[in-house]
Amino acid sequence: MEDIEEEELLNLSLATVTDSSGGDMKRKRKRSRADHVFNPLMNSYEGCSEAKIYRLLQMREQMIKLDHKKKAAVEETGKGLHLIHLLLITATAADENNVGSALENLTELYQSVSFTGDSVQRVVAYFADGLAARLLTKKSPFYDMIMKEPTSEEEFLAFTDLYRVSPYYQLAHFTANQAILEAYEKEEDNNNSALHVIDFDVSYGFQWPSLIQSLSEKASSGNRISLRITGFGKSAEELQETESRLVSFAKGFRNLVFEFQGLLRGSKLINLRKKKNETVAVNLVFHLNTLNDSLKISDTLKSIRSLNPSIVVLAEQEGSRSPRSFLSRFMESLHYFAAMFDSLDDFLPLESSERLSIEKNHLGKEIKSMLNYDKDDANCPRYDKMETWKGRMEGHGFAGMKLSSKSLIQAKLLLKIRTHYCPLQFDGESGGGFKVFERDDGKAISLGWQDRCLITASAWHCV
């Protein structure tokens, strides 16, 4: 249905193309209609022919129609490296405002990429879409067609599928939960059997069922454990759904007293402590990168420090982007998403509907958004090296904690369960597939795919 809608919109606009065989009045009339559609673009595209834009959109539409047929042809000719090379040339042209060259290169790319081909074709197809939208700009009637957002339900299902099949999110969550559990156990004699987790991005709440279960295994009918989660979310609806999901799950554990408080992002940390001497844990899994601004990160860490928590758990996508230029953001994103798309080969066949959902409604959405943030957009995520985050934490009164051997064993076991086709890689080993390894003298655990580090998890305490 979506492809049909895109085709109708494209055909409607292509009908405005100038017919060189008509009379002068007819040409003027058709030119006027075309200018009405593309005029917002043309102010930025001096010397750029409308025909190149039409050709680009035609090739994209043909790509969508002929996805399955093109896959074999590209694999046979081994054009993977050529596609990456052409994509980089296109990104450079776009960054230099050489719109004509960028459009020509994108048109060529659309003839070779595919949303259902191999991992290289697929990731390049989404990057091509992101660049096409960037070139057309938000003023174009075709921008929204290319950047079409998934529904909240589609986004949730895509996240659920990725969470279920890949160790990416689970490794971060399980490592954080293990550190929180051990912090609770350390204070068990004095915390009145009470744990309070402050989650700065509770999202769908997928992290917490495993902690609920682990705490329940420690509790008894005569010694019930109290778990309170204060979770920050994007909307009241998301928070209500998360609360309902977690409360329903927790009802199955009668020796656990569970309570959830949802707060909208931006709410201040006031009056959060409810029980005397409770163990307080702060969860910063995939949160600080969303703040983008160094001042916001600093303010957040200062407010957390004022709570004097027993433990702060941090997990972030590994990056190395210091400068904020478009090309640096592009290269960082390409390396990361190429690894993510490639890793999906280990869990799902090419034709899998779950894989298509993950790539289109989760990873693909992130790719296109990343390439279309303005230079100073506050919503643009910031991905830095582990050493950078370490410096920020230490600069705000936190010290790294050595993660237990249980955390590493658990991470390796998770990879063994989740990895199907590619061999596992552990410390000191090289080769393909997923790998898990300790860093910073055992104070952090990282998940990598081949030679690319994907995420790093660590734990901190106040000093």
Side-chain angles (χ1 to χ4, degrees), residues 26-153:
K26 187 177 181 180
R27 281 198 297 269
K28 288 180 181 178
R29 198 162 50 241
K30 289 190 174 182
R31 171 66 65 183
S32 176
R33 293 171 64 195
D35 285 346
H36 177 71
V37 174
F38 286 106
N39 190 50
L41 283 67
M42 305 316 293
N43 293 334
S44 304
Y45 295 167
E46 293 183 12
C48 177
S49 170
E50 292 173 15
K52 290 182 179 180
I53 299 174
Y54 292 137
R55 179 67 174 161
L56 170 72
L57 295 170
Q58 282 182 317
M59 288 301 101
R60 182 180 185 274
E61 185 61 28
Q62 287 186 25
M63 175 199 70
I64 294 173
K65 288 181 178 179
L66 303 175
D67 258 343
H68 298 285
K69 294 181 181 179
K70 286 189 300 184
K71 172 180 171 289
V74 176
E75 286 179 346
E76 287 173 6
T77 54
K79 287 186 177 179
L81 291 177
H82 170 71
L83 292 179
I84 296 295
H85 179 67
L86 185 57
L87 182 66
L88 295 178
I89 293 175
T90 307
T92 302
D95 186 51
E96 295 173 349
N97 205 30
N98 188 347
V99 179
S101 176
L103 288 172
E104 290 175 359
N105 291 332
L106 276 176
T107 301
E108 182 179 344
L109 275 173
Y110 277 133
Q111 296 176 63
S112 300
V113 298
S114 164
F115 289 132
T116 57
D118 62 28
S119 62
V120 175
Q121 289 175 281
R122 296 157 92 116
V123 73
V124 173
Y126 284 105
F127 271 88
D129 264 4
L131 287 174
R134 184 179 180 87
L135 290 169
L136 291 172
T137 77
K138 295 179 181 179
K139 296 178 180 179
S140 166
F142 298 107
Y143 179 89
D144 289 338
M145 179 183 77
I146 294 175
M147 294 290 290
K148 184 177 181 181
E149 293 269 330
T151 65
S152 57
E153 181 180 358

Side-chain angles (χ1 to χ4, degrees), residues 84 87-88 91 123-124 126-127 130-131 317-323 325-342 363-373 380-383 452-454:
I84 296 295
L87 182 66
L88 295 178
V123 73
V124 173
Y126 284 105
F127 271 88
L131 287 174
Q317 176 181 319
E318 189 82 7
S320 59
R321 178 168 55 82
S322 296
S325 70
F326 169 72
L327 279 181
S328 67
R329 187 166 74 243
F330 183 91
M331 291 298 298
E332 185 68 35
S333 298
L334 180 58
H335 283 298
Y336 167 75
F337 284 106
M340 288 295 289
F341 273 65
D342 194 29
L363 300 178
K365 172 180 175 288
E366 289 187 359
I367 289 171
K368 292 188 286 187
S369 296
M370 182 64 70
L371 299 188
N372 283 276
Y373 284 121
C380 182
R382 110 182 259 147
Y383 300 118
R452 173 73 187 187
C453 185
L454 297 176

Side-chain angles (χ1 to χ4, degrees), residues 169-313:
Y169 287 109
Q170 289 190 33
L171 185 136
H173 288 170
F174 290 171
T175 301
N177 287 355
Q178 181 63 34
I180 291 173
L181 183 64
E182 291 171 7
Y184 169 83
E185 292 173 340
K186 188 176 181 181
E187 300 179 357
E188 206 164 6
D189 292 338
N190 303 308
N191 61 16
N192 296 323
S193 299
L195 172 62
H196 185 179
V197 176
I198 303 169
D199 187 354
F200 275 73
D201 189 2
V202 74
S203 193
Y204 303 116
F206 285 10
Q207 177 173 349
W208 304 120
S210 65
L211 180 63
I212 290 172
Q213 185 170 355
S214 296
L215 287 172
S216 177
E217 291 171 356
K218 292 182 58 60
S220 64
S221 57
N223 182 30
R224 302 176 77 193
I225 292 178
S226 171
L227 171 62
R228 174 183 175 84
I229 295 178
T230 298
F232 290 83
K234 292 182 290 186
S235 68
E237 181 182 7
E238 177 189 87
L239 289 170
Q240 289 169 0
E241 291 177 355
T242 300
E243 179 177 13
S244 176
R245 193 176 298 117
L246 291 177
V247 168
S248 177
F249 181 82
K251 282 181 179 178
F253 304 91
R254 297 188 176 183
N255 52 2
L256 187 78
V257 179
F258 178 74
E259 186 179 357
F260 180 87
Q261 178 187 13
L263 297 174
L264 291 175
R265 286 185 187 174
S267 301
K268 293 191 176 182
L269 294 171
I270 55 176
N271 300 323
L272 291 179
R273 290 181 181 271
K274 295 296 181 181
K275 293 183 180 294
K276 186 178 180 181
N277 297 329
E278 67 182 0
T279 296
V280 176
V282 173
N283 189 64
L284 291 176
V285 174
F286 302 120
H287 173 68
L288 291 182
N289 71 81
T290 67
L291 298 181
N292 184 55
D293 185 87
S294 296
L295 183 59
K296 290 181 181 178
I297 294 174
S298 180
D299 288 344
T300 299
L301 293 178
K302 286 177 181 177
S303 65
I304 292 171
R305 182 65 181 81
S306 69
L307 295 173
N308 194 31
S310 301
I311 187 172
V312 177
V313 286

